[in-house]
Structures are given as C-alpha cells and as structure tokens.
Amino acid sequence: MRIDILTLFPDLCDGFMRESIIGRARKNGLLEIQCHDIRDYTPDKHRRVDDYPYGGGKGMVMQAEPIFRCYEALCRETGTKPYLIYMSPQGKTLTQQRVRELAELPNLALLCGHYEGVDERVLEAIVDEEISIGDYVLTGGELAALVVTDSVARMLPGVLADEVCFTDESHYDGLLEYPQYTRPAVWREKAVPQVLLNGDHGRIAQWRAETALERTRQKRPDLLDEKAGR
Ligand code: ADE
C-alpha cells in the first residue's frame, strides 16, 4: 500500500515514518509513505500558499491552486487517482471499522489543512472523504494524518507479527480487549488471575471473553449499545 501526505509541514511526519513498526514496515517494502510539501506547488513567486478569507474574519485560508497542483502531480507520479481524505474536525469520526476498510485501498492520500481551513472549492473538486480523529480541534491536520497512517498501516498483512495481534484487541469486534499480565506472577502482593496460569486454553478463552464484555460494560457501555444496533 502507498500513503501520500499532502502538508505544509513535511518535517513533522519524518520522525514518525522512520521509527518503530512503521519504519520497519517501510524498510520491508510492506508500505510506502511519501510526504509532499504543498508549498512546492504554489504559483506564487513568494511561495505564499494562503490568503485572507473573503467576507472578512480572522486568520488565513489555504488557497486552492497549490493543493490542486500537488494532488495533480501525485496523480501523474502514481498513474492513479489516490483516494483523497481531507483531515478535518468536520469529518466523520475515525473508527476501527473504517480503518479496516481504508487498509484495503492500494493508494491513500491525506490532505492536511492549516490556519482557518482550506478554500472550499478545492475540497469540492478533489476530496473523496473528510475524516476527523475526534471532536476537538488541532492546529493542523498532520497529527490526524499520522493517526490514520499508523492505524491503517498496522492492519496491513505482515506489518504486525501475528494476525492475533489485532483480532484480539480493543475495537476489533466492538468490544474492549481483556486485561493482560506478564511476569512476575505476583507483583507487590498482587497476583495474576489463577485461570491464566494453568494452561487450560478453553477456560482462558472463556475468561477472556467474559472480562472483555465486563470491562466494555464498565468503561464504554456506549460500545455495547452500538453493537446491539441501539
Ligand atoms: N484538523 C484539525 N482538527 C482535526 C481533527 N479533530 N481531526 C482531523 N483533522 C483535524
């Protein structure tokens, strides 16, 4: 899969792309990530990419043309029309289900806004979908784009060590994950639940299913309502 990030701050994404699981996935050729500096596509000789909002008001608005040219160049380079997502607090909130669907696409492009937003006309012209990572406002779309990149990348075959890593985890089937423990078996007088120590895989699976349900009920009862279609 290839993910392209269209941004005014490509350096923000660099460290993230090189480190840890994402860095390894790129080295292993499982994932390609490219950042594109929108400023490189401005027709303005002073490299401006923003201007005052029509109708007045505070702040600046990102102009349509540099973004459009950046996306056009990406289409030319890849020979496709990557599915373009605009990172925005006005979008639909990202869910694990949507992450799974996005991971099926061969090409994904993430547009990061800044200042007061982006000229609406370029959004109408090229954006396929708007996604928010939560009901709060960030200074720009970069962190949100990295959230999408990270959550999508880890769904790709081979990126995580074992498929069980995500079939058991929180949100996979609409529940939170069961509690995890590691050695020592007793830590500061707190013992690991006995059922996990006796190697009875049937009982362990049953205990995990029950505790997953119980902690979802306690911590996120809204997920159970959603699962029941209420
Ligand atoms: N840009 C600014 N705030 C955002 C949010 N909550 N989600 C996605 N992109 C954003």
Side-chain angles (χ1 to χ4, degrees):
M1 176 179 203
R2 173 168 167 160
I3 300 179
D4 291 274
I5 302 177
L6 286 57
T7 169
L8 288 175
F9 300 95
D11 292 349
L12 256 178
C13 310
D14 260 14
F16 164 80
M17 283 161 47
R18 273 198 303 267
E19 298 296 328
S20 187
I21 293 175
I22 302 298
R24 197 179 59 210
R26 289 177 64 224
K27 273 201 201 108
N28 293 343
L30 300 169
L31 170 69
E32 185 178 354
I33 308 177
Q34 300 274 349
C35 286
H36 307 269
D37 189 343
I38 294 169
R39 204 175 290 279
D40 290 344
Y41 297 88
T42 177
D44 182 77
K45 64 175 185 292
H46 304 294
R47 287 179 52 83
R48 269 189 78 165
V49 288
D50 61 343
D51 213 326
Y52 296 101
Y54 275 117
K58 64 180 167 49
M60 304 294 271
V61 176
M62 282 172 72
Q63 292 174 301
E65 188 61 18
I67 294 171
F68 188 79
R69 290 186 183 198
C70 184
Y71 182 66
E72 256 188 347
L74 175 60
C75 294
R76 270 198 306 275
E77 184 193 332
T78 57
T80 64
K81 260 180 160 290
Y83 189 77
L84 181 62
I85 296 174
Y86 174 45
M87 306 313 310
S88 156
Q90 296 190 11
K92 259 206 185 148
T93 309
L94 187 65
T95 61
Q96 190 62 36
Q97 170 62 25
R98 192 68 191 124
V99 166
R100 267 201 297 274
E101 291 161 4
L102 294 175
E104 302 286 326
L105 300 174
N107 286 77
L108 200 57
L110 307 173
L111 170 61
C112 306
H114 254 272
Y115 315 118
E116 288 310 306
V118 169
D119 189 308
E120 191 68 23
R121 292 166 296 182
V122 75
L123 301 180
E124 287 165 9
I126 59 175
V127 165
D128 295 297
E129 179 178 353
E130 294 189 27
I131 286 184
S132 165
I133 60 162
D135 289 342
Y136 42 82
V137 180
L138 304 165
T139 55
E142 283 74 15
L143 288 176
L146 295 183
V147 166
V148 170
T149 302
D150 188 272
S151 56
V152 167
R154 64 193 290 288
M155 300 306 294
L156 301 176
V159 170
L160 295 186
D162 190 334
E163 208 177 284
V164 98
C165 297
F166 52 78
T167 54
D168 267 17
E169 73 191 1
S170 292
H171 300 292
Y172 184 80
D173 58 0
L175 295 178
L176 301 182
E177 190 184 1
Y178 49 79
Q180 297 276 18
Y181 301 89
T182 188
R183 285 192 291 182
V186 179
W187 175 76
R188 298 194 179 218
E189 294 169 25
K190 286 174 176 288
V192 169
Q194 190 60 34
V195 61
L196 299 178
L197 304 177
N198 60 18
D200 181 338
H201 295 295
R203 281 195 57 213
I204 291 172
Q206 191 190 347
W207 179 86
R208 285 179 165 169
E210 284 164 11
T211 50
L213 191 60
E214 184 47 36
R215 66 171 32 195
T216 309
R217 198 173 284 134
Q218 274 173 12
K219 295 186 183 186
R220 291 288 308 274
D222 55 304
L223 292 179
L224 292 177
D225 290 345
E226 245 170 67
K227 204 168 151 69
R230 287 194 289 263

